[in-house]
Amino acid sequence: MAYDIDKEDLITLYPLETLQKFASDFLLALGASEEETAILVDGLMTASLWWHPGQGQGLEKFFRFHMQVTNGGIVPNANMTWVKEGPSYALLDAAKGFGYVSGHRAMAKAVEKAKVTGIAMVGVRHSNHFGIAGYHALHAAKKGLIGWSFTNAKAEMAPWGSAQVVLGTNPWGIAIPRKDTHAIVLDMALTMSGKGMMRWLMNEGRPMPESWALTPDGQTTTDPAAAMLGPLLPIGEYKGYGLSLITDVLAGVMTGSLFGMSVFQDDTNHDVGHVMMAINPTAFMDQADYDTRLEQLVAEVKGAPAIDPKRPVILPGEVEFQRMGEREANGVPLSRETVEKLRALSAEVNVNCPL
Ligand SMILES: NC(=O)c1ccc[n+]([C@@H]2O[C@H](COP(=O)([O-])OP(=O)(O)OC[C@H]3O[C@@H](n4cnc5c(N)ncnc54)[C@H](O)[C@@H]3O)[C@@H](O)[C@H]2O)c1
């Protein structure tokens, strides 16, 4: 679901550089290495430039990082090891390290292998929340390859026909490189929305679409508060449930991480699993042919007449890249509530808070 920031009084805008410097200081203070910090800051800034503060993918992650570094759930500078490796596949044991970092290393490995074999798939086990799926997919697209990343996550979705949460929002990021312009980036949870956006609407006193979540006893509702303890609804009804199940088979079962109702339950051991895939279009045809054919498809899609002329057809990722440009120029939004909490947390870890 795409959103506008409706109530300007709930947010403050900060220059990107201010958030970058703050994020870097904070992560180094938590014990992240310079290399880890660079990856984490890049991922968190991408998330901050792309998403609504209610989606909670930006500096909101600091609270969880701090809690888990303190209780041993995240190990900064973890000793990640390659436990399996073949020409077109590999498996990384993240050893409870930062998920952004293990995801980044896994996609780098997938890209390296796919440049030789045409396609590669790299699993990650014993990891943590990897951030935004599109960030990892875009890593491959920046190298000219199609990137596909997914992860399992905390159980928040019920199998279709039940109200008992068993499966995660299990997001997918797929990035298709284009010549001389932004990649097509489909970056989506497999649920219609998340608890963060429901909380945002609740704070604004607004209803949510009935398609987002159910009450704990399985009733439909437009009241976000009534569904806060209920299951999130999958995209495409039973089809999204099916995709989430299959994602957990690949990212959880097959990597050797936790899956289903177990993953993400114990804050000292989330044991999340990810999968990174890289596909080299030049394994199938010349780069020039691929580029020409892709642009033909894009032209057909974008050429479809809009039902509402004020809302032209856009590509996946287009709205995020547009937002990115606007925020780089005008500032990055943080909710006032997050700012208050970041000030208190910074004092606790003895880091200067510029907010
Ligand atoms: N790591 C985790 O456990 C986890 C879990 C859930 C979500 N996430 C991340 O949260 C972020 C937000 O996910 P979301 O599902 O709420 O995103 P979203 O629903 O806001 O957007 C999903 C996708 O739809 C596209 N889109 C939006 N409007 C469009 C339109 N009119 N035409 C064409 N395409 C359009 C967007 O470009 C995007 O690719 C993502 O980065 C996701 O990876 C992470």
Side-chain angles (χ1 to χ4, degrees), residues 34-306:
E34 296 275 352
E35 185 229 352
E36 289 179 319
T37 299
I39 296 167
L40 283 156
V41 171
D42 197 30
L44 292 168
M45 291 306 115
T46 306
S48 305
L49 290 165
W50 281 3
W51 300 117
H52 190 291
Q55 284 166 294
Q57 297 296 337
L59 297 195
E60 296 83 6
K61 290 285 171 256
F62 279 9
F63 310 114
R64 183 164 286 281
F65 287 171
H66 175 249
M67 184 258 287
Q68 285 193 275
V69 167
T70 306
N71 70 19
I74 293 178
V75 178
N77 221 353
N79 183 24
M80 300 187 192
T81 48
W82 295 101
V83 287
K84 303 257 184 204
E85 193 157 351
S88 61
Y89 66 89
L91 177 64
L92 180 66
D93 185 329
K96 299 174 91 173
F98 285 103
Y100 260 117
V101 173
S102 63
H104 187 86
R105 290 179 184 162
M107 187 56 97
K109 178 74 89 178
V111 166
E112 181 193 309
K113 288 182 177 296
K115 285 203 164 159
V116 180
T117 61
I119 181 166
M121 180 167 178
V122 177
V124 183
R125 71 185 188 195
H126 308 328
S127 186
N128 279 291
H129 190 283
F130 80 3
I132 62 170
Y135 176 73
H136 300 291
L138 194 56
H139 178 164
K142 285 180 176 166
K143 311 273 181 193
L145 275 67
I146 294 169
W148 197 322
S149 79
F150 46 87
T151 182
N152 65 8
K154 179 182 172 188
E156 293 188 292
M157 177 203 289
W160 193 247
S162 173
Q164 152 101 60
V165 297
V166 176
L167 296 165
T169 52
N170 299 358
W172 286 22
I174 304 173
I176 311 282
R178 289 176 68 195
K179 193 171 154 55
D180 302 329
T181 187
H182 288 303
I184 300 170
V185 183
L186 177 63
D187 185 9
M188 57 171 200
L190 300 181
T191 47
M192 288 298 286
S193 191
K195 291 280 162 80
M197 275 317 296
M198 287 166 58
R199 211 165 287 118
W200 187 276
L201 292 185
M202 193 171 79
N203 292 343
E204 282 196 331
R206 289 172 51 195
M208 65 173 188
E210 209 177 56
S211 59
W212 281 17
L214 300 176
T215 62
D217 60 348
Q219 304 305 307
T220 53
T221 181
T222 57
D223 177 4
M228 209 46 90
L229 298 176
L232 295 172
L233 282 164
I235 57 168
E237 303 191 334
Y238 53 87
K239 299 177 185 179
Y241 146 61
L243 288 176
S244 181
L245 171 66
I246 284 154
T247 304
D248 207 4
V249 172
L250 297 178
V253 174
M254 202 177 78
T255 61
S257 275
L258 292 177
F259 49 82
M261 294 161 80
S262 310
V263 65
F264 235 99
Q265 291 306 307
D266 171 2
D267 282 333
T268 69
N269 185 31
H270 278 180
D271 200 348
V272 182
H274 325 303
V275 173
M276 303 287 149
M277 279 196 287
I279 301 164
N280 190 349
T282 64
F284 293 83
M285 65 180 63
D286 288 346
Q287 185 72 49
D289 286 346
Y290 165 80
D291 289 337
T292 305
R293 290 167 59 81
L294 177 61
E295 291 315 309
Q296 279 170 354
L297 176 61
V298 167
E300 284 181 22
V301 168
K302 300 265 299 175

